[in-house]
Amino acid sequence: MSALGNNASMRSLVEEVAVVGISCRFPGSDTPEDLWKLLKRANSAVSYIPDGRWDNNFLRGLRESESQIIQRGGFLADVAGFDAEFFNVSPREAAMMDPQQRLLLELSWEAIEDAGIRAQQLSEARAGVFVGVGGDDYSTLVREQGPDGVSPHTFTGSLRSIIANRVSYFLRATGPSLVVDAGQASSLVALHLAADSLRKGDSDVAIAGGVTLRLTPHHSLAAHRFGALSPDGQCHVFDARANGFAQGEGGGAVVLKRLQDALADGDAVYCVIRGSAVNNDSGGSQLAEPSARAQAAVIREAHRLAGSNPRDVAYVELHGTGTKAGDPVEAAALAEAIGSLRQAGSPLRVGSIKSNIGHLEAAAGIAGFIKTALCIRSGTLVPTAGFRTPNPYIPLDELNLHVQTSVEEVELDEPTLLGVSSFGVGGTNCHMVLSAAPAAAGASGHAGSTRPASLSSSPPVPLAGTQDVPVPLLLSATSATALQGQAARLSEWLRTDAGSANAVDLGWALLTTRSVWNHRAVVMGAVGDDIAAAAQGLEALAVGEPSELVRTGRAVPPVKPVFVFPGQGSQWLGMATDLIDASPAFAAALQECADALAPHIDWDLRHALRGGTDAPDLERVDIVQPALWAVMISLTR
């Protein structure tokens, strides 16, 4: 265990922002748990584009070498799957939605569940949504289909702004809702804006993140011909083999609160955003040429706003693309802003998630941020995959930098600082200063390095006398199949990551921090620290087997009566006259109708219904329709 920083600066909780929920979908990792395993093992998820994703005719029109290069990268196995019914989207509309919209809906939901927030609560708060997005490949695909490819849902399905707005609509969130396109810095800039919105009071809770999906080969080919892609499809960050970046796709989302609110709510906090800044390099000799001066300036500004000292930074998650031009510039900027301030022999540790999953461009910043948040939460730094020999243009010792190449447990508790950088090709630079949460925020604690289902929330007060009492575990879902999936997920968590899970805490979290759906189950067997029996019940529920520990059912929502009124032709002479005499409610309602009709007619309603020699003709259109209306209204009463 090594100490990596010391910072005693004072600052206000009001100005700090807590990360209370995380979700991700990255190459080789569908959850934060998967990502953490990938990072600790220093694995690379770079491979080839899934079969059938791109137009083969387009690829056949390229030189073989070009075709091979652009097909390498970190890709998601499935970008088409989507539970449209869960998100109240019709199948036809879902088919016309940009998959980036669909992905962000899923990520946002998973993040708020991880934060222990019921979706209904967001409609009662000013919840903001901030998303970094760059590509619009789906619009390209729609245009290629010609006029027949355009449907009534194409307009909202293809607008980039809707990627954020769709989440706000589904959650009934009323705070700011916007998409940021700042090139490769987009998602970290979105996170910067989300934190600022909380500080200013525009939002009380915020969802921030980014998505990138590579649905056509056009952008990849453009990046290759620009000279940005690595021929071998790997990001050799700060390495002598640096020859371009590996492309990647996916997305991530985080839930933010003001730190003082998170502490008051008893939230488990991944990390704290101390401050952040954005600038632009104003252009070098070329539009895409990075500037060490501007990158150093944005780092210093982020620390100024955070009230912190750059010399106290223990680790920086690099933009780290592995390009010949970008890496040396970023190294020089870090040396100027941080490395030169640290003691000789105590280098600044650096690394980049792009070595694991490729460059997600608009979503790259949120990927690096999530990696750093997991490092802080676990007190562990992870390797930069594939690093071998330092880039000869990056004299690490001279710059007082060190590329992290091993899994290392370190003291990352407050007040140690970490940084995250993200830079756009057009010169937009963003840097963020992070730290661990105050000790008070760790009272509940996440289970393991992350918590898959908000299972670390504790009751607000100790529940005396409950340690030996069986605690029901309550699960719910939108379908029987989904309920089994919930049971399987919780069972897996208990089997692998539960640690010191306590039945009361677990039951309380499931009861109070999850949205409630109609398909429900109660699993018994959890007592105190012994949850083995409950795990057995969950396993049975997951595979649909009966168990004495499990009860399932379906909650039927309250049914409201529906009244169907008949049209003309259903009348008969004497209708409703028995009710006029026998039901005071009916008679009173009919009299109200008669009084309402009186100024407009020259006949008597009751007389028309009872009939007689001098009664109005009930078969007349101008009589039967008001008469039927009055009878139906009175029957309803």
Side-chain angles (χ1 to χ4, degrees):
M1 182 75 74
S2 60
L4 294 183
N6 179 28
N7 176 38
S9 63
M10 301 296 293
R11 74 274 181 198
S12 168
L13 295 182
V14 177
E15 298 175 350
E16 296 189 340
V17 173
V19 179
V20 297
I22 286 179
S23 67
C24 66
R25 197 90 82 252
F26 295 141
S29 50
D30 288 339
T31 66
E33 295 76 27
D34 294 340
L35 177 63
W36 188 239
K37 294 173 184 176
L38 183 80
L39 294 170
K40 291 184 70 175
R41 294 168 182 165
N43 288 343
S44 169
V46 170
S47 58
Y48 284 92
I49 190 79
D51 290 340
R53 175 78 72 85
W54 287 349
D55 181 357
N56 286 332
N57 289 328
F58 183 96
L59 296 175
R60 282 192 288 267
L62 303 176
R63 293 191 299 272
E64 179 64 22
S65 60
E66 285 192 319
S67 178
Q68 288 297 314
I69 289 172
I70 70 171
Q71 290 186 74
R72 285 189 62 81
F75 299 101
L76 303 184
D78 176 28
V79 298
F82 179 64
D83 189 349
E85 183 178 2
F86 178 86
F87 291 103
N88 298 324
V89 177
S90 72
R92 288 185 178 180
E93 184 173 11
M96 297 308 298
M97 287 168 57
D98 183 342
Q100 294 180 137
Q101 287 188 28
R102 306 200 295 253
L103 177 58
L104 190 70
L105 278 171
E106 294 172 343
L107 291 170
S108 300
W109 181 264
E110 292 167 8
I112 64 172
E113 280 206 323
D114 187 53
I117 298 174
R118 287 186 172 183
Q120 296 86 344
Q121 294 174 278
L122 295 179
S123 64
E124 302 167 2
R126 290 174 297 178
V129 181
F130 303 79
V131 189
V133 184
D136 57 355
D137 286 8
Y138 197 65
S139 294
T140 299
L141 292 175
V142 171
R143 287 193 294 269
E144 288 176 348
Q145 295 180 42
D148 292 341
V150 179
S151 83
H153 301 297
T154 299
F155 186 73
T156 54
S158 58
L159 287 176
R160 272 192 287 182
S161 60
I162 300 295
I163 295 175
N165 300 158
R166 181 85 65 175
V167 174
S168 298
Y169 173 75
F170 176 69
L171 298 175
R172 294 297 186 263
T174 59
S177 180
L178 54 95
V179 161
V180 176
D181 186 353
Q184 291 75 7
S186 296
S187 55
L188 201 65
V189 173
L191 190 54
H192 162 80
L193 295 176
D196 199 42
S197 176
L198 288 165
R199 294 188 188 101
K200 293 192 300 183
D202 293 339
S203 303
D204 293 320
V205 62
I207 298 169
V211 289
T212 291
L213 292 179
R214 303 188 185 280
L215 306 179
T216 77
H218 300 89
H219 178 76
S220 299
L221 180 61
H224 165 61
R225 292 185 177 177
F226 178 70
L229 291 189
S230 166
D232 58 12
Q234 297 290 337
C235 284
H236 302 295
V237 180
F238 279 27
D239 195 278
R241 295 167 294 159
N243 58 359
F245 69 77
Q247 57 186 334
E249 68 174 359
V254 297
V255 177
L256 309 177
K257 287 184 178 180
R258 287 180 286 271
L259 179 57
Q260 62 176 1
D261 293 339
L263 295 177
D265 293 341
D267 293 326
V269 178
Y270 283 96
C271 67
V272 173
I273 298 174
R274 298 278 298 276
S276 58
V278 176
N279 73 3
N280 191 276
D281 62 21
S282 72
S285 60
Q286 299 180 24
L287 170 66
E289 180 180 335
S291 164
R293 172 191 52 79
Q295 291 179 15
V298 81
I299 293 171
R300 287 193 293 265
E301 179 65 7
H303 280 281
R304 186 189 71 80
L305 294 171
S308 56
N309 194 318
R311 72 166 176 267
D312 297 319
V313 177
Y315 171 86
V316 168
E317 175 65 16
L318 303 165
H319 181 61
T321 55
T323 58
K324 293 180 179 179
D327 282 8
V329 169
E330 184 171 10
L334 281 171
E336 177 185 339
I338 301 176
S340 62
L341 305 180
R342 295 177 63 86
Q343 292 181 351
S346 178
L348 171 68
R349 287 164 164 82
V350 297
S352 173
I353 194 174
K354 293 178 181 65
S355 66
N356 305 98
I357 63 174
H359 190 352
L360 274 60
E361 300 201 49
I366 193 65
F369 181 89
I370 288 174
K371 170 190 170 181
T372 309
L374 297 182
C375 288
I376 292 173
R377 187 62 206 174
S378 64
T380 305
L381 296 181
V382 292
T384 297
F387 181 80
R388 296 179 187 172
T389 306
N391 188 323
Y393 297 101
I394 304 177
L396 293 174
D397 292 340
E398 180 182 328
L399 300 176
N400 208 17
L401 304 177
H402 170 77
V403 177
Q404 187 69 26
T405 57
S406 64
V407 176
E408 182 180 3
E409 293 186 3
V410 293
E411 293 179 4
L412 296 181
D413 294 338
E414 194 188 31
T416 302
L417 303 177
L418 291 87
V420 181
S421 291
S422 192
F423 308 136
V425 71
T428 298
N429 304 312
C430 183
H431 186 80
M432 197 158 281
V433 180
L434 310 181
S435 75
S444 298
H446 292 264
S449 60
T450 58
R451 55 178 183 179
S454 299
L455 301 178
S456 59
S457 178
S458 297
V461 295
L463 302 183
T466 60
Q467 293 307 305
D468 297 324
V469 177
V471 176
L473 305 183
L474 310 179
L475 287 80
S476 72
T478 56
S479 68
T481 301
L483 187 64
Q484 289 180 241
Q486 290 281 359
R489 189 179 179 198
L490 182 55
S491 174
E492 173 70 15
W493 181 79
L494 289 174
R495 185 167 55 252
T496 60
D497 298 319
S500 58
N502 176 277
V504 173
D505 289 349
L506 186 58
W508 177 268
L510 290 170
L511 173 66
T512 63
T513 68
R514 304 300 298 270
S515 296
V516 181
W517 307 101
N518 290 340
H519 290 265
R520 302 178 187 178
V522 179
V523 180
M524 299 301 296
V527 180
D529 294 334
D530 182 6
I531 53 177
Q536 295 176 9
L538 288 166
E539 290 169 3
L541 176 59
V543 296
E545 294 180 352
S547 170
E548 293 182 354
L549 298 171
V550 180
R551 294 293 181 269
T552 61
R554 184 177 181 183
V556 179
V559 177
K560 295 181 179 180
V562 175
F563 297 95
V564 181
F565 292 175
Q568 184 174 333
S570 59
Q571 74 278 1
W572 72 92
L573 194 62
M575 66 177 178
T577 53
D578 289 346
L579 279 175
I580 294 174
D581 298 333
S583 171
F586 184 91
L590 192 75
Q591 188 57 53
E592 286 184 51
C593 292
D595 294 342
L597 287 170
H600 310 287
I601 61 177
D602 58 0
W603 46 271
D604 181 82
L605 175 61
R606 291 188 181 226
H607 197 185
L609 293 175
R610 290 185 183 278
T613 55
D614 59 345
D617 184 2
L618 193 59
E619 297 300 319
R620 281 173 46 187
V621 173
D622 62 327
I623 294 177
V624 67
Q625 291 196 2
L628 283 172
W629 165 78
V631 169
M632 294 304 107
I633 291 296
S634 303
L635 279 173
T636 300
R637 294 284 179 84

